[in-house]
Structure formats: C-alpha cells, structure tokens
Amino acid sequence: MFYVFLDLVGITIGGLLSKPLQKFLSDRQIDSMMEIATLCVGIIGIQGAIKTKQPLLMLISLVIGSVIGVWLDVDGKFNRFGDIIKGKLKTSDPHFVEGFVTVFMIECVGSMSIVGPLDVALSGSTNLMLFKVVLDAITSLVYGAIFGYSVLLSGPFVFLYEAIIYGGASFIQPLLTSSTINEISAVGSLLIVALACDILEIKRFKVANFLPALLGPIIFGLFQVMCK
C-alpha cells in the first residue's frame, strides 16, 4: 500500500512544482508544450490501442460503453464535480475542470494502473509501480504547468482507484488474465487518443462518457473464466 500512496505523493509533488515552472514560461511556450505533450500522449495511445488481439471486443465495448456513459452522463458528473470543487476553492481558472479530467484519464486508464498495484500486492514486485510514480509525477508537472493546480485533484482519485485494485488483488487477479489486461489497456489507450484529439481540438469528444467501455474486457474475461 505504501507504493500506491507514493504515487499520490508523486502526483502531488509534480502538481505543486508546476506552478513555479509556469512562472518561467510565456503563454506561447505553454501552448507549444501542451501541443507537443498531447501529441506524444496521442501517439502512446495509438501504440497501446493497436496491441489489441480482439478488435471486435474493443468495438463492442466502446459502442456499448458509450451508450451507457451517455445514459449515466458520466462526463457531466465529472464536470459538475469539478465545478463544485472549483467553487469551493473560489478559483476562476477556466481550465480547472479540463486539467482534472485530463490528468485523471491519462494516469488511470493505462495497464500500469492495474498491473502495478497487482504486482505489489501479489508478488511484492515494485519496479512497475515505481516507474508509474515517476511517470505520474512528470505528467502532473507538465500538465500542471498547462492547466494549473487542478491536476492535484486527480491525485486522490488515482490513489482510490489503485488502492481498490491493491486491496482486492487476491480476488481480482484470477479474473484479470494477461489477455484481459491487454484488452483493457487497448480500450483505455483508444480513450487516450480521443482525449488527445479533444485537447488539440481536432474533434470534440466527451471522453469520460466512454469510461464504462473499460468494463467490457473485464466482463468478457469473467465470462471466459466461468465457462472453463
């Protein structure tokens, strides 16, 4: 559990250091940094998405997941929650909600956020989790310089997400085969591509509405286990 908490610390430190960094950058430099960082994130997303071995499962998961997400208005709930926090903090930052949602998505939908806590809980291996701590700290630093302190809000939610996986590792591990984790990662990577397109204003996506799609590979994997 220490390493899950360490990830929260890394996100927090990266977010806090982003404000001093912001003072040394002009608006044009920040815009340029956002464009290239988001482009890199999009490329990483494409690399992850093409690793799918079951493209039909990805398609079905995303289609059904989007229908459920729109029905539940997941994106709206994310934004309303962000607005509530924004109001309590009395900030007028127009990018507050965008920063929170962006960093949360980047740091949570990849396979490392699943495999990392599982490795620590089941085998005591910390290599992947330590790599994620560094990666998340850098992500918060870069996007914090772009969006401001709103990236700090993602930290507790990333911690909660990883803590649930860590705590339920013995139950979750038999369900999450390497194949299932690969497909979860592929679906999540495609969401990262959509997020990059949204940030770069190539195409507007309410990416949070697609989050239920991540359950598709899990349900399919559970069905396979039950049929054996």
Side-chain angles (χ1 to χ4, degrees), residues 1-77:
M1 192 66 174
F2 170 76
Y3 291 93
V4 175
F5 177 73
L6 194 61
D7 197 21
L8 170 61
V9 173
I11 293 169
T12 303
I13 291 174
L16 290 174
L17 290 177
S18 66
K19 199 66 174 179
L21 176 63
Q22 204 175 33
K23 294 179 181 178
F24 293 98
L25 300 172
S26 67
D27 290 342
R28 289 177 61 191
Q29 288 173 317
I30 290 175
D31 288 342
S32 178
M33 188 167 65
M34 180 189 71
E35 290 170 353
I36 196 62
T38 304
L39 185 60
C40 289
V41 167
I43 293 299
I44 292 170
I46 291 172
Q47 289 177 326
I50 62 177
K51 289 181 181 178
T52 180
K53 299 294 190 295
Q54 302 185 59
L56 184 58
L57 174 61
M58 175 191 281
L59 176 61
I60 293 172
S61 297
L62 285 164
V63 170
I64 296 177
S66 67
V67 171
I68 295 172
V70 171
W71 175 57
L72 294 175
D73 191 23
V74 177
D75 185 81
K77 287 180 171 62

Side-chain angles (χ1 to χ4, degrees), residues 137-159:
I138 293 172
T139 300
S140 294
L141 177 64
V142 172
Y143 280 95
I146 296 167
F147 294 117
Y149 281 150
S150 61
V151 301
L152 293 171
L153 189 58
S154 67
F157 288 91
V158 174
F159 172 78

Side-chain angles (χ1 to χ4, degrees), residues 15 43 100 139 164 215 223:
I43 293 299
F100 158 54
T139 300
I164 291 172
L215 296 174
F223 177 76

Side-chain angles (χ1 to χ4, degrees), residues 95-147:
H95 299 297
F96 185 88
V97 177
E98 186 179 6
F100 158 54
V101 174
T102 297
V103 175
F104 172 77
M105 292 284 292
I106 291 173
E107 294 175 344
C108 267
V109 300
S111 60
M112 277 192 294
S113 60
I114 298 173
V115 180
L118 283 178
D119 279 354
V120 174
L122 297 173
S123 66
S125 175
T126 61
N127 292 339
L128 189 60
M129 200 64 208
L130 284 172
F131 180 75
K132 188 177 189 298
V133 169
V134 175
L135 188 63
D136 285 356
I138 293 172
T139 300
S140 294
L141 177 64
V142 172
Y143 280 95
I146 296 167
F147 294 117

Side-chain angles (χ1 to χ4, degrees), residues 136-198:
D136 285 356
I138 293 172
T139 300
S140 294
L141 177 64
V142 172
Y143 280 95
I146 296 167
F147 294 117
Y149 281 150
S150 61
V151 301
L152 293 171
L153 189 58
S154 67
F157 288 91
V158 174
F159 172 78
L160 179 62
Y161 177 74
E162 293 177 346
I164 291 172
I165 294 173
Y166 177 89
S170 58
F171 172 75
I172 296 172
Q173 194 267 342
L175 305 179
L176 295 182
T177 63
S178 58
S179 175
T180 300
I181 291 175
N182 183 71
E183 296 311 313
I184 294 172
S185 178
V187 171
S189 294
L190 198 57
L191 298 190
I192 290 294
V193 176
L195 183 66
C197 290
D198 183 61

